[in-house]
Amino acid sequence: MNDAPPAPRATEPVAAAAPPRPSLSELFIAYALISLYGFGGVLAWSRRMMVEERRWLTPEQFNEAYALCSFLPGPNIVNFSVIFGSRVRGPLGGLVALAGLLGPPMVLIIVIGALYSHYGDLPALRRALIGVTAAAAGLIMSTVAKMALPLFRNRAVGGPVIALATFGAIGIAQWPLPIVLVVVLPISLALAWVRR
Amino acid sequence: MKDLGTLGTLAWFFALTSLFAIGGANSAVPEIHRFAVDVQHWMTDPQFSDIFGLAQLTPGPNVIVVTLIGYHVAGLAGALVATLAMCGPTCLLAFYVGRTFDRFRGASWQVALAGGLVPVTLGLTAASAVVVARAADDAWVAVGITAVTALVTYWVRVNPLWIFAVAAVLGLGGLV
């Protein structure tokens, strides 16, 4: 987990001077791949694609866009696709990224749903799912650890303290989310305002 | 026409629900369950959990559970209407918020907002990983899968799909 500052890694990309700007078809393909790989949630796959493989975003840019999307209503990565797509290719880019992310799994789930209602063996699938879910939890952990790297490399201690406090309150103490947010969010925003 | 009424119900219900789904589609699942099973009687409890299970098994954003619910209720049209209603309004909002955010890039409030949201989001996402792990890992093999996946995907540049395939086979064999 992210309780100790992880060591720098060879695979972490360095921020490019001018990030490449994807075309509409590149956007569609990248988001279609994110959705088709996306077992156990699309956050990990979308960071892998945007930051590590295509290098369209620096780790910091990814964190910032993801944070914004997490506080907007609706599915986070769906919001992310619209914001990123429209940032690089205008409103059409937003639509194309969204279509790439939602189109393939919509087709897939309807086919799977239809097959299941004819010959479903859900107990077997459920058992496979237990294994995949355990692996997905591990993948989210390593993704969060990578996402936290820029925060912990920063010399300011406020960010890491806030991140660890939020994690401890929800993940370990299991306090209710709204109460934690009401306390933590204003403090974090105030710290960031002072630091800006 | 009964179908138009059903499509209308799907549209307003999912559009309204999406606006309260802060922190991802899964936060709306209890409300969707209440409405689909208890209020509208579109499906039974076991049918709902089967649909939820199938959505988990399908790659892609969690929100596609809504597609399958729409499909179950009103066929292909239902699938489209439910998905568009669940994603349309919030996508529009994201589009305008994202644009405003980019237009004021570098402004003090923008820098402070981004700087303040990032650490909280990281803490929340880390917590969600622990919550998922706690739910999934009630056997030592599952704990092992989680730990190995975390370490390998952090240190090695391997496609996680391979690990998922092994984990699926272990689960299928009843070892997890």
Side-chain angles (χ1 to χ4, degrees):
Chain A
M1 283 315 312
N2 59 352
D3 47 3
R9 307 167 51 251
T11 55
E12 203 64 34
V14 270
R21 182 161 161 263
S23 68
L24 284 176
S25 59
E26 284 172 330
L27 257 182
F28 182 86
I29 291 169
Y31 270 102
L33 286 176
I34 288 171
S35 74
L36 290 175
Y37 284 155
F39 289 96
V42 275
L43 166 66
W45 297 94
S46 99
R47 186 181 187 279
R48 196 181 150 86
M49 183 70 75
M50 315 298 279
V51 178
E52 294 177 19
E53 287 184 8
R54 304 285 201 265
R55 304 194 175 188
W56 289 334
L57 291 172
T58 64
E60 290 85 357
Q61 288 169 330
F62 184 89
N63 284 355
E64 191 184 283
Y66 177 67
L68 185 62
C69 293
S70 303
F71 283 93
L72 288 174
N76 303 340
I77 299 297
V78 174
N79 286 338
F80 196 121
S81 72
V82 171
I83 287 182
F84 178 73
S86 59
R87 183 185 292 168
V88 292
R89 289 284 161 190
L92 187 59
L95 267 181
V96 164
L98 179 68
L101 184 66
L102 285 184
M106 278 178 74
V107 172
L108 211 56
I109 200 168
I110 289 173
V111 171
I112 290 176
L115 284 178
Y116 164 68
S117 59
H118 285 289
Y119 339 79
D121 179 12
L122 217 50
L125 290 177
R126 282 253 170 73
R127 284 202 306 275
L129 182 64
I130 296 174
V132 171
T133 310
L139 182 60
I140 306 174
M141 286 175 183
S142 69
T143 304
V144 179
K146 289 183 198 174
M147 288 171 75
L149 281 180
L151 195 67
F152 282 85
R153 276 190 194 141
N154 215 319
R155 261 178 306 168
V157 285
V161 169
I162 291 286
L164 289 174
T166 310
F167 167 71
I170 309 256
I172 295 171
Q174 293 179 290
W175 290 341
L177 176 71
I179 295 173
V180 174
L181 284 184
V182 162
V183 176
V184 161
L185 207 49
I187 298 176
S188 185
L189 291 171
L191 280 176
W193 178 260
V194 173
R195 212 175 41 227
R196 96 198 110 95
Chain B
M1 227 176 104
K2 173 188 170 285
D3 260 13
L4 267 185
T6 310
L7 289 179
T9 309
L10 282 171
W12 74 253
F13 172 71
F14 282 115
L16 199 64
T17 304
S18 72
L19 295 176
F20 295 96
I22 297 196
N26 275 349
S27 64
V29 166
E31 173 59 15
I32 295 174
H33 173 270
R34 189 187 67 82
F35 191 76
V37 177
D38 301 338
V39 179
Q40 293 290 332
H41 304 291
W42 281 331
M43 58 195 72
T44 62
D45 222 10
Q47 279 176 321
F48 185 88
S49 58
D50 277 6
I51 284 179
F52 187 71
L54 285 171
Q56 297 279 301
L57 281 169
T58 311
N62 296 326
V63 68
I64 51 165
V65 66
V66 164
T67 309
L68 201 51
I69 291 173
Y71 182 73
H72 177 90
V73 174
L76 282 180
L80 267 179
V81 166
T83 315
L84 287 180
M86 185 76 185
C87 295
T90 51
C91 280
L92 263 182
L93 182 67
F95 173 74
Y96 284 109
V97 171
R99 245 182 23 171
T100 312
F101 210 66
D102 285 344
R103 188 180 311 145
F104 290 96
R105 188 155 293 281
S108 333
W109 69 264
Q110 193 269 356
V111 175
L113 187 60
L117 292 184
V118 167
V120 178
T121 308
L122 287 175
L124 288 178
T125 312
S128 79
V130 169
V131 171
V132 173
R134 207 178 269 149
D137 296 356
D138 47 23
W140 282 109
V141 183
V143 177
I145 291 176
T146 303
V148 168
T149 310
L151 292 172
V152 169
T153 53
Y154 186 85
W155 293 107
V156 188
R157 218 182 150 87
V158 59
N159 191 326
L161 274 188
W162 295 111
I163 303 175
F164 281 25
V166 173
V169 170
L170 286 175
L172 208 53
L175 295 169
V176 181

